Amino acid sequence: MEKRSFMFRLFQLIGLGLLQVLILNRISLFGYVTPLFYIWMIIRFDTSMNRSAVLLWAFFLGLSIDLFSGTPGLNAASATFIAMLQPAIVKLFVQLDRHDVLIPCSATMGGRSFAGYLLLMITLHHTCYFILRSIPLGDWTVLVLKIVFSTLMTFILMIVTESVTMSSGYKR
Amino acid sequence: MRSLLDFIVKHSYVFLFFLLEILSLVLLFGFNDRQKEAFLTSANSMSGTIYEWRAGVDQFFFIRKENTRLVEENTRLREMLYEMTDSQYVDQERALSSSRVVAARVVDNSIRKDDNYLTINKGRRDGIAPGMGVYSSDGVVGVVMVTGKRYSIVLPVLNGNSSISCKKKGSDSFGFLEWSGGDPYVAQLKDMPYHSAVEIGDTIVTTGFSSVFPENVPVGTVAGVERSKNGYTLRIKVNLSCDLSDLGWVYIHTLTEDEEIEELNEQILK
């Protein structure tokens, strides 16, 4: 599989950033549920990427979202956090040889492994995000509700996106 | 030694990780309120255009609703105009000439956070200054907090730091409207004297004391009354009349120089 170019990633960052800031940030079901779809970019990082590059991309992705949401550092911290764990999490779900290059998706990982990978990544990210956002921690039940339902919402969105891109044969 | 260096080079990303995390956390927690304001304004001037673009898309979808609202408001104003006697009319004109109202569009808004802010597309250039009252056709929205050249950030009622003096319509006892998070349609009116007769369903309006707002701008209706812990004041639950999740155009109550000078004079005389 060929490697993604710098320009591809830059456009992906801008596209996902706009989607998040212009549309998704305004969704707030019952005051709790906000999908954080922008981490799709981190989900799709391939295994051949330099780890420092992974971290830097994630950091700037988060920071650009922060800039337009009035939350300095919040998304940057949580995005960098899962970007650090991403390579290890991929290896949890698939056996990789040293030189395998793999872009995580249902075609390369298998549907069930990919779903598991997605769920774990999203849960980690959302947990980090909502804990940081609610400091000083007050109401635990509300916090847990926010994490659980937002995770579900992002998960559903991503599964839908995955099935659409799969069926149209277009790989984002 | 060499292997140590190798180790460090090979794992340089770990250092990068901690560096980036520390940077983000400093951004997140190292900011005091003043720095946060600065961040908001700089972000504001940069993202104002994008916000406006987004608001434009939104407005396209809600234009009918917005129109209906404007027609309703016009009708109300016309009724008021016809009901007025001549002498009142003159008073009203004088009142209008001493203060000026600027209309602005809300380009960014949040209601679900603990500290909400909203951005409007009028700034210093249009004569907006911090401390001016913002209201919509339905009622009070908030107070201007920071102004940029073309945009301003408003501290809405739905922010823990907001406090607006309000009274029951037609009476003189007043209290302060505050919000402590949670339900974006309900705020609390505090420090209302215990003897004031407030009942569920009463209308709450602004006092006009501070000339931030004109007098009698609607705030909401009383949803519940209880005695505060110290027993001398009332805690009143207010259903806000203005739905802050659904704002299109708002009005800003700007002071003209006359009024400002008058206010300063009063302060000196005290």
Side-chain angles (χ1 to χ4, degrees), chain B residues 1-15:
Chain B
M1 190 64 202
R2 205 197 144 88
S3 62
L4 181 71
L5 273 177
D6 276 352
F7 179 82
I8 290 175
V9 171
K10 202 176 162 199
H11 291 84
S12 58
Y13 69 88
V14 179
F15 297 102

Side-chain angles (χ1 to χ4, degrees), chain A residues 82-134:
Chain A
I82 53 156
M84 181 69 179
L85 300 175
Q86 192 251 2
I89 296 176
V90 176
K91 281 180 200 128
L92 271 184
F93 289 94
V94 278
Q95 288 276 313
L96 277 183
D97 286 335
R98 233 182 122 76
H99 300 291
D100 274 353
V101 179
L102 176 143
I103 296 179
C105 66
S106 54
T108 54
M109 294 176 79
R112 285 178 67 176
S113 307
F114 182 67
Y117 162 75
L118 264 185
L119 201 58
L120 185 55
M121 287 284 284
I122 300 171
T123 311
L124 284 172
H125 175 267
H126 286 29
T127 308
C128 177
Y129 174 89
F130 283 107
I131 286 180
L132 285 178
R133 198 172 95 171
S134 352

Side-chain angles (χ1 to χ4, degrees), chain A:
Chain A
M1 210 170 270
E2 67 183 85
K3 287 186 185 176
R4 300 298 200 194
S5 72
F6 179 85
M7 287 314 277
F8 173 85
R9 294 205 193 282
L10 191 64
F11 283 122
Q12 197 181 27
L13 190 150
I14 294 170
L16 285 173
L18 285 176
L19 179 72
Q20 183 68 42
V21 176
L22 293 179
I23 301 166
L24 299 179
N25 265 358
R26 326 194 82 194
I27 298 178
S28 162
L29 289 179
F30 322 115
Y32 294 133
V33 190
T34 307
L36 300 163
F37 185 78
Y38 70 93
I39 54 167
W40 184 249
M41 180 170 171
I42 301 168
I43 302 270
R44 278 287 208 246
F45 279 154
D46 61 69
T47 50
S48 69
M49 266 177 92
N50 180 307
R51 296 203 62 172
S52 300
V54 166
L55 291 174
L56 283 171
W57 274 114
F59 178 75
F60 284 109
L61 173 68
L63 197 66
S64 52
I65 305 243
D66 281 331
L67 213 52
F68 294 102
S69 325
T71 52
L74 178 60
N75 287 296
S78 10
T80 316
F81 172 66
I82 53 156
M84 181 69 179
L85 300 175
Q86 192 251 2
I89 296 176
V90 176
K91 281 180 200 128
L92 271 184
F93 289 94
V94 278
Q95 288 276 313
L96 277 183
D97 286 335
R98 233 182 122 76
H99 300 291
D100 274 353
V101 179
L102 176 143
I103 296 179
C105 66
S106 54
T108 54
M109 294 176 79
R112 285 178 67 176
S113 307
F114 182 67
Y117 162 75
L118 264 185
L119 201 58
L120 185 55
M121 287 284 284
I122 300 171
T123 311
L124 284 172
H125 175 267
H126 286 29
T127 308
C128 177
Y129 174 89
F130 283 107
I131 286 180
L132 285 178
R133 198 172 95 171
S134 352
I135 283 176
L137 295 171
D139 197 341
W140 278 99
T141 45
V142 173
L143 179 66
V144 172
L145 280 177
K146 279 182 181 171
I147 294 172
V148 170
F149 286 106
S150 299
T151 301
L152 278 177
M153 178 108 169
T154 312
F155 180 69
I156 292 167
L157 260 177
M158 287 192 174
I159 290 288
V160 170
T161 313
E162 175 67 13
S163 53
V164 169
T165 50
M166 275 290 287
S167 60
S168 69
Y170 166 78
K171 289 208 184 68
R172 184 156 181 168

